[in-house]
Amino acid sequence: MPPTLDTDHMRRALGLARDAAARGEVPVGAIVVRGEQCLGEGANRPIAAHDPTAHAEILALRDAARRIGDYRLPGTTLYVTLEPCIMCASAIVHARVGRVVFGAWDPKAGGAGSVADVFSIPQLNHRVDVFGGVLAEECGQVLRQFFAERRA
């Protein structure tokens, strides 16, 4: 996918992250795209949903799967503002997503190389192309600002 489309899609995910922050949730947003069509979107909701699995990526995958009527999402790209955690990375593999593009790295919980790399486990039966650092500064700033306001 051309870099301009990657940044355009990441900006849409950033909008969802900002919406999550406005609701008091950790600001992470995600969208699932096939071609140029958005199939699903999500923003963190574990607090409001009382659900530890309500991460932006999981919600975006669920939304896309409902819309297309299939739990497998081949040929899709998932854009997310923060490196997926191990749970989300595993769900992405199981959903057969073709590509993941993320913004900020997560040195405390990242499952795409920071803490672990789920996507490179050779025993898994699906490979996902992973690209990190798209709009990393902007994605990281949204998170830093959120936590600075919480600490103030």
Side-chain angles (χ1 to χ4, degrees):
M1 189 155 299
T4 55
L5 282 180
D6 282 348
T7 57
D8 290 347
H9 291 313
M10 188 61 74
R11 288 192 196 292
R12 184 169 179 174
L14 268 164
L16 294 166
R18 289 182 180 104
D19 293 345
R23 293 189 313 273
E25 300 276 1
V26 173
V28 179
I31 65 170
V32 176
V33 174
R34 183 179 286 145
E36 292 188 36
Q37 179 185 12
C38 180
L39 300 177
E41 60 182 35
N44 266 6
R45 291 184 40 84
I47 297 167
H50 308 290
D51 179 356
T53 69
H55 289 197
E57 301 95 320
I58 300 294
L59 298 176
L61 292 171
R62 288 175 183 164
D63 190 29
R66 270 192 300 272
R67 286 186 190 186
I68 67 167
D70 193 348
Y71 72 100
R72 291 200 172 155
L73 304 169
T76 60
T77 299
L78 185 141
Y79 293 87
V80 61
T81 57
L82 181 65
E83 177 184 1
C85 71
I86 293 167
M87 173 186 71
C88 292
S90 296
I92 290 164
V93 170
H94 288 291
R96 307 299 195 268
V97 169
R99 186 169 175 256
V100 170
V101 177
F102 67 88
W105 292 88
D106 186 351
K108 294 183 180 178
S114 289
V115 172
D117 190 353
V118 171
F119 300 110
S120 69
I121 297 173
Q123 293 84 356
L124 296 178
N125 65 348
H126 178 70
R127 296 288 160 255
V128 179
D129 292 328
V130 181
F131 302 92
V134 174
L135 298 181
E137 182 55 38
E138 194 172 341
C139 292
Q141 182 56 36
V142 170
L143 287 157
R144 285 188 297 275
Q145 181 178 345
F146 175 80
F147 287 111
E149 289 171 5
R150 298 291 246 205
R151 287 189 291 270

